[in-house]
Amino acid sequence: MTGERAPTLSVRDLRVEFPAAERGATVKAVDGVSFDIFKGETFGLIGESGSGKTTIGRAVVHLVEPTAGTILHDGVDPARLSSREFRAARRAWQIVFQDPNAALNPRSTILTSVMEPLAVSGVGSAEERRRAALQALARVGLPEEIGARYPHQLSGGQKQRVVIARTLTLKPELIVCDEVVAALDMSIRGDVLNLFAELQRELGLTYLFITHDLSVVSHISDRIAVAYLGRLVELGPAEAVTENAIHPYTRALLSAEPAPLPSHMRTGKRILLEGEIPSPINPPSGCHFRTRCGHAVDLCAQRAPEWREIVRGHWAACHFAEQFCSEENVAGEKAGATLLGG
Ligand SMILES: Nc1ncnc2c1ncn2[C@@H]1O[C@H](COP(=O)(O)OP(=O)(O)OP(=O)(O)O)[C@@H](O)[C@H]1O
Ligand code: SF4
Ligand SMILES: [Mg+2]
């Protein structure tokens, strides 16, 4: 999926800070994150609540201003565009959230809601917008008559399809999917995930797929990144991360999964991931994971581990990453690629 191609999204040393409720304190929601995403790829992002996933996603579509770092889209820094160019360009970068109810106005018909982004952007005539909206509804598998209904007359799955249709009218290239199936019944999650996969094939879409659900992310992702307290701790091909996880945090997350476990862990012990994720207002020194890591030594408190490519295409931030690599991995090709995760 990656090869030596230029990335469609390139994030370098991204930092996002928010003022905390306590006077003078700062929430380091994202604390130095770097990754690339390639066109047509599904890039999964996992981590516990509060690890900074949504903030990364919002920064990528420019809904939140980075405190530091760069976000390039096809090599272009949107900060350098005129406000008119930026408004036109940002249609290509969209985000879909967990709760379709928050995205749909309860007093507007479905058709009006689906047309709304085009109307706001001043794209096309009223008739062209209507046609585009009906086409988008058909594309997500909803019949035309749904357009005349109101959100409360639809099921959760239908509402999430409407939100996807609305996003499609803008002809996006990159969609951040933030827990998009988390609010749906188990029985329809598969249908909605299949819809995302179909749309990707048909339209060549690129996804940043955020979820705390490992079973979802491992099924649909080409590569997976693992976030912990505002930083990435691991990134690699989906199979490598789920079958040959390097970082102690990823290994603990995987071992906590009820089923199916990665093959090498099926007979292994459950690794306890005790306690809460620490506060991003006052994160631990050195390695952010050290307060919950069974392998921590003095060095882990003194120095933050570097973000390193341990095996080609497989990155981790742990002083002892090589030690935690499986033998299979160690025998693999060592670092050498120049693109992040490429
Ligand atoms: N606007 C804000 N102001 C202050 N703090 C914020 C703001 N947005 C996010 N945070 C804090 O930043 C941290 C990261 O939040 P974020 O929503 O990105 O996490 P997340 O990984 O998406 O979590 P979840 O899985 O619960 O959705 C949290 O501690 C959160 O409280
Ligand atoms: S750097 Fe130290 S504390 Fe952090 S994950 Fe590695 S061993 Fe654990
Ligand atoms: Mg979130």
Side-chain angles (χ1 to χ4, degrees):
M1 229 37 249
T2 56
E4 300 300 315
R5 290 174 296 149
T8 190
L9 176 78
S10 197
V11 174
R12 288 293 176 276
D13 204 19
L14 177 68
R15 288 166 201 273
V16 182
E17 293 178 357
F18 298 108
E22 300 98 280
R23 255 172 85 93
T26 303
V27 181
K28 290 181 174 174
V30 184
D31 192 23
V33 160
S34 300
F35 61 92
D36 287 333
I37 303 186
F38 296 84
K39 188 166 168 48
E41 175 178 38
T42 298
F43 185 96
L45 177 58
I46 59 169
E48 283 168 285
S49 184
S51 55
K53 305 179 299 293
T54 295
T55 309
I56 293 171
R58 286 167 61 86
V60 158
V61 296
H62 306 278
L63 284 177
V64 64
E65 184 76 23
T67 308
T70 54
I71 299 170
L72 304 184
H73 294 269
D74 294 314
V76 176
D77 182 354
R80 295 181 185 274
L81 300 176
S82 68
S83 54
R84 197 166 153 212
E85 287 168 332
F86 177 73
R87 274 200 305 278
R90 79 176 304 178
R91 279 184 224 140
W93 320 313
Q94 295 296 320
I95 188 163
V96 176
F97 292 106
Q98 171 175 344
D99 181 10
N101 293 311
L104 299 173
N105 184 339
R107 286 180 294 278
S108 295
T109 65
I110 296 302
L111 191 63
T112 304
S113 283
V114 177
M115 289 191 298
E116 193 193 16
L118 290 175
V120 168
S121 316
V123 174
S125 64
E127 182 48 31
E128 282 164 343
R129 293 199 283 265
R130 195 175 137 343
R131 273 208 305 273
L134 289 173
Q135 237 173 34
L137 284 173
R139 183 154 242 161
V140 299
L142 292 174
E144 193 172 325
E145 61 266 23
I146 285 261
R149 296 203 208 159
Y150 289 86
H152 74 271
Q153 297 170 313
L154 269 57
S155 71
Q158 286 173 324
K159 278 185 271 197
Q160 196 59 304
R161 282 173 192 265
V162 169
V163 172
I164 299 165
R166 199 168 109 116
T167 305
L168 292 181
T169 60
L170 293 166
K171 299 195 181 356
E173 291 167 14
L174 169 72
I175 304 182
V176 175
C177 305
D178 191 357
E179 305 280 7
V180 285
V181 295
L184 304 179
D185 279 358
M186 278 303 211
S187 57
I188 54 165
R189 283 187 187 182
D191 293 345
V192 174
L193 289 174
N194 285 340
L195 173 64
F196 275 101
E198 269 166 42
L199 293 171
Q200 182 172 52
R201 277 194 300 274
E202 277 175 37
L203 307 170
L205 298 171
T206 306
Y207 296 139
L208 168 54
F209 211 96
I210 295 171
T211 172
H212 60 268
D213 187 338
L214 266 162
S215 62
V216 168
V217 86
S218 56
H219 272 105
I220 61 154
S221 305
D222 296 300
R223 288 186 300 149
I224 296 176
V226 184
Y228 187 81
L229 203 53
R231 293 180 182 160
L232 294 190
V233 296
E234 184 153 2
L235 160 62
E239 203 184 322
V241 172
T242 53
E243 291 283 330
N244 286 309
I246 295 174
H247 198 280
Y249 176 61
T250 314
R251 295 163 85 99
L253 272 186
L254 288 166
S255 80
E257 270 291 280
L261 288 172
S263 55
H264 76 284
M265 287 183 174
R266 270 171 211 143
T267 53
K269 278 195 302 198
R270 236 175 106 94
I271 306 167
L272 286 180
L273 192 52
E274 284 177 334
E276 295 285 306
I277 188 167
S279 163
I281 295 175
N282 190 16
S285 64
C287 175
H288 281 179
F289 186 54
R290 72 173 168 81
T291 53
R292 297 166 84 193
C293 180
H295 306 276
V297 293
D298 289 351
L299 172 68
C300 306
Q302 289 154 9
R303 244 189 31 224
E306 279 175 43
W307 182 228
R308 296 181 295 133
E309 193 177 22
I310 310 299
V311 177
R312 191 176 167 84
H314 196 159
W315 295 65
C318 169
H319 293 306
F320 307 105
E322 282 77 2
Q323 208 172 303
F324 299 133
C325 256
S326 73
E327 284 177 11
E328 211 175 310
N329 265 349
V330 175
E333 196 182 341
K334 288 282 181 183
T338 48
L339 291 173
L340 258 197

